[in-house]
Amino acid sequence: MTEWEDDAYVLSARAHGESGAIVDLLTETHGRHAAHVAGAASRRMKPFLQPGARVVVNYRARVPDQLGSATLEPIGEGPSALFDDPLALAGLSSAAAVTAGALPERQAHPGAFLALEALIGCLPLTEVWPAVYVRFEAGLLQDLGFGLDLSRCAATGSVDDLVYVSPRTGRAVSRAAGEPYRDKMLILPPFMLSAQGGLNPGDIGAGMALTGHFLDQFVFAAMNRPLPAPRERLLERLRDAGAL
């Protein structure tokens, strides 16, 4: 018998049987886990089975490798606090879908949990959260072992004027070294180098293109899957809002 309790975020839930659901969870110390939750169709539980809801999980399974069952205790308001902000909800849905698609099951990824926690905490801040979302995806790559190296120029070792990223290696490139190949380079927005970097027009689009490229190349393509549809919808909403 396997039993544990952990903090978690709901990533997705799908109906199972008359009143239950299979819930995909990102836990703080046990990684990504799916579990059967009885009574999930109840009026009390439905609001807390939305992507991004914070819960305490009590998990039990007879055999470690089989689907277990869980009870969930909600923490806080959950995503209902964002119902008046469709763009932030789109960001939350995208983050949950990317997390669920990228992380293997039952492997501890505390860095991914902390990155999602930081993003969710910033979603009420309209002017801030899109940049935090880009950093969230970069953090997810880091936790999966595909972190971007933005510390110095891959060609010269310089730490100054880093404005490009090599699409092959994920390493930063200075303006001078990258200029002859600028059409093949990814743009490195200043906010990814420093929290004090500030945001300029086009920076969020460049950041999303950067993290999206490496999520696709290193994570989803390896599983023969495209980037999740909620992420594409987020890009459309950000574009419509003039935020890219």
Side-chain angles (χ1 to χ4, degrees):
M1 178 72 74
T2 299
E3 294 184 74
W4 46 261
E5 180 179 292
D6 206 348
D7 285 355
Y9 286 104
V10 173
L11 299 178
S12 67
R14 56 182 174 86
H16 183 79
E18 292 187 4
S19 61
I22 304 299
V23 183
D24 197 4
L25 300 153
L26 177 62
T27 69
E28 185 171 13
T29 59
H30 293 83
R32 191 178 135 244
H33 257 74
H36 178 264
V37 177
S42 69
R43 183 175 298 180
R44 173 183 174 272
M45 284 301 301
K46 273 188 174 181
F48 301 103
L49 293 179
Q50 304 302 312
R54 182 75 177 260
V55 296
V56 174
V57 184
N58 282 280
Y59 179 88
R60 176 180 293 184
R62 289 185 180 180
V63 180
D65 292 336
Q66 292 183 348
L67 179 71
S69 61
T71 59
L72 308 180
E73 288 297 325
I75 299 175
E77 290 184 83
S80 61
L82 300 172
F83 279 174
D84 292 332
D85 190 344
L87 188 57
L89 278 175
L92 183 56
S93 295
S94 177
V98 170
T99 300
L103 292 183
E105 284 196 83
R106 306 187 181 205
Q107 294 182 20
H109 281 281
F113 182 91
L114 293 174
L116 184 59
E117 182 177 57
L119 171 62
I120 290 174
C122 288
L123 285 173
L125 307 175
T126 306
E127 301 300 321
V128 173
W129 76 256
V132 178
Y133 180 93
V134 175
R135 286 179 170 269
F136 154 76
E137 290 193 339
L140 196 60
L141 284 164
Q142 179 77 36
D143 203 47
L144 286 166
F146 303 116
L148 306 178
D149 182 357
L150 308 180
S151 60
R152 62 187 65 250
C153 176
T156 66
S158 171
V159 298
D160 298 322
D161 205 20
L162 303 176
V163 298
Y164 300 117
V165 174
S166 165
R168 185 176 62 85
T169 66
R171 298 181 65 188
V173 179
S174 68
R175 189 185 309 274
E179 194 64 21
Y181 315 100
R182 60 179 302 172
D183 293 342
K184 298 180 180 180
M185 291 287 178
L186 295 164
I187 301 299
L188 175 57
F191 76 86
M192 294 193 70
L193 293 171
S194 167
Q196 286 74 46
L199 278 176
N200 300 308
D203 279 358
I204 298 301
M208 291 289 287
L210 179 60
T211 54
H213 171 82
F214 290 107
L215 282 169
D216 182 39
Q217 176 173 294
F218 292 142
V219 182
F220 287 91
M223 298 183 283
N224 293 314
R225 287 156 51 187
L227 289 170
R231 190 184 191 275
E232 299 305 310
R233 288 195 290 271
L234 172 60
L235 282 171
E236 291 175 5
R237 286 183 173 271
L238 288 168
R239 189 175 296 110
D240 291 344
L244 289 182

